[in-house]
Amino acid sequence: MRQRIIAALGIAGLAATGLVACGDDSGSGSGSSGGEKVTIGIKYDQPGIGLKEGSKYTGMDVDVATYVAKELGYDEKNITFKEAPSAQRETLLANGQVKMIFASYSITDARKEKVSFAGPYLTAGQDLLVKSDSDISGPDGLNGKKLCSVTGSTSAQKVKDKFAKTVQLQEYDTYSKCVEALGAGAIDALTTDNTILAGYASQEANKGKFKVVGQTFSTERYGVGLKKGDTATCTKVNDALKKMVDSGEWQKAFDKNLGPSGLKLDAATNPPKTFDACA
Ligand code: GLU
């Protein structure tokens, strides 16, 4: 009796500390009562791309993620979205906290050392967001200026590689913090993908305040982040992306999410015509 109580207490203790697996925390889930569950990483503060407002999720990444998840057998109601800030994406995948990431996540060789990518599903370019009355007209005009970007992003890395000597880089963990600082006059410009910048510029609260400079200086191919070596999922995701493009659903999602900002992307690469080999 005494032993049983101790055993019971032991299990309760383990459960409380999360050591007893009550569900699958690999992000892939295995819901026994109908329908597999899946956890997907997205951005929470990038209008037009990935935005959380209360319990509502919107944006191109959200729509592509929902379409792909459905093709993989996960109903929309079985998707749990989790915030995936730029600097945490590789870790979230490696730890199995999410199964897939759709979060303006550029495919790069450095990242491919740690994660696998399906896609690309969108191709953007790095640009600058400045105040409407700013005279900054491109990356060459950044000498001596304060420039904001996000830790762990390709955008911040490019500034470090290309402009580090002449520019003061301020790094935050999210782009919305940079937008706030830009509005307050604490920084001169924000740099990241034109898709993200266009979303901020066209937000109701920001109308007339900012402009996207329009001189892109990189190619950002958005991939679906997967655990390193998960080629089985990668192949399925690429098939789903192809179907989304061929059926016209990709264009619909683009028009809905990024159309209102007036953003024009390179027609040679958008929508995607080919997908990278899974590795
Ligand atoms: N696409 C770039 C990247 O993956 C910038 C956007 C972001 O930080 O999510 O780093």
Side-chain angles (χ1 to χ4, degrees):
M1 179 66 185
R2 195 183 139 83
Q3 254 173 355
R4 256 196 231 155
I5 290 171
I6 290 169
L9 283 173
I11 287 172
L14 286 175
T17 53
L19 288 172
V20 168
C22 297
D24 187 337
D25 65 350
S26 70
S28 60
S30 60
S32 53
S33 54
E36 296 238 335
K37 291 187 170 38
V38 67
T39 303
I40 297 178
I42 58 165
K43 293 297 182 81
Y44 274 7
D45 68 331
Q46 297 176 192
I49 301 290
L51 185 69
K52 179 180 192 286
E53 291 168 297
S55 58
K56 217 173 132 230
Y57 300 93
T58 56
M60 186 68 184
D61 284 350
V62 172
D63 285 353
V64 177
T66 306
Y67 185 98
V68 167
K70 178 122 204 164
E71 289 299 311
L72 265 60
Y74 305 104
D75 279 353
E76 196 172 346
K77 65 174 189 320
N78 290 326
I79 299 173
T80 302
F81 288 116
K82 185 174 173 62
E83 187 172 21
S86 297
Q88 290 177 33
R89 292 177 291 202
E90 290 83 19
T91 312
L92 286 168
L93 287 167
N95 293 348
Q97 287 167 278
V98 298
K99 185 178 175 73
M100 302 185 273
I101 287 186
F102 296 73
S104 54
Y105 198 9
S106 299
I107 301 170
T108 69
D109 287 342
R111 289 173 179 163
K112 278 201 255 177
E113 303 274 313
K114 295 180 182 162
V115 301
S116 290
F117 285 104
Y121 62 90
L122 190 112
T123 299
Q126 187 169 352
D127 208 323
L128 299 169
L129 186 75
V130 294
K131 282 229 173 126
S132 298
D133 59 0
S134 168
D135 53 12
I136 296 172
S137 58
D140 300 339
L142 291 170
N143 287 353
K145 303 279 193 211
K146 289 194 196 112
L147 179 65
C148 196
S149 201
V150 162
T151 318
S153 67
T154 54
S155 328
Q157 192 58 46
K158 182 141 234 145
V159 173
K160 285 179 191 160
D161 295 347
K162 279 191 119 181
F163 312 105
K165 290 185 200 79
T166 51
V167 97
Q168 277 175 262
L169 179 62
Q170 165 76 57
E171 284 181 79
Y172 289 118
D173 58 345
T174 61
Y175 294 105
S176 49
K177 287 186 189 155
C178 287
V179 176
E180 237 174 79
L182 184 62
I187 55 152
D188 300 300
L190 153 56
T191 187
T192 188
D193 307 338
N194 51 357
T195 41
I196 299 169
L197 300 177
Y200 289 125
S202 66
Q203 254 186 325
E204 206 48 49
N206 294 335
K207 283 258 164 75
K209 272 201 213 166
F210 308 122
K211 65 183 178 196
V212 182
V213 166
Q215 299 286 337
T216 53
F217 47 96
S218 78
T219 302
E220 305 296 325
R221 302 165 73 244
Y222 289 3
V224 180
L226 301 165
K227 194 173 206 150
K228 175 114 178 120
D230 188 359
T231 47
T233 307
C234 177
T235 306
K236 287 186 208 159
V237 172
N238 279 348
D239 289 346
L241 291 173
K242 183 174 181 340
K243 190 169 167 187
M244 188 176 187
V245 171
D246 292 347
S247 65
E249 288 302 312
W250 185 97
Q251 193 62 51
K252 265 194 219 164
F254 183 88
D255 293 346
K256 180 178 110 195
N257 293 300
L258 292 155
S261 72
L263 177 76
K264 296 275 174 287
L265 291 179
D266 181 10
T269 46
N270 292 288
K273 278 130 204 107
T274 55
F275 302 99
D276 297 359
C278 290

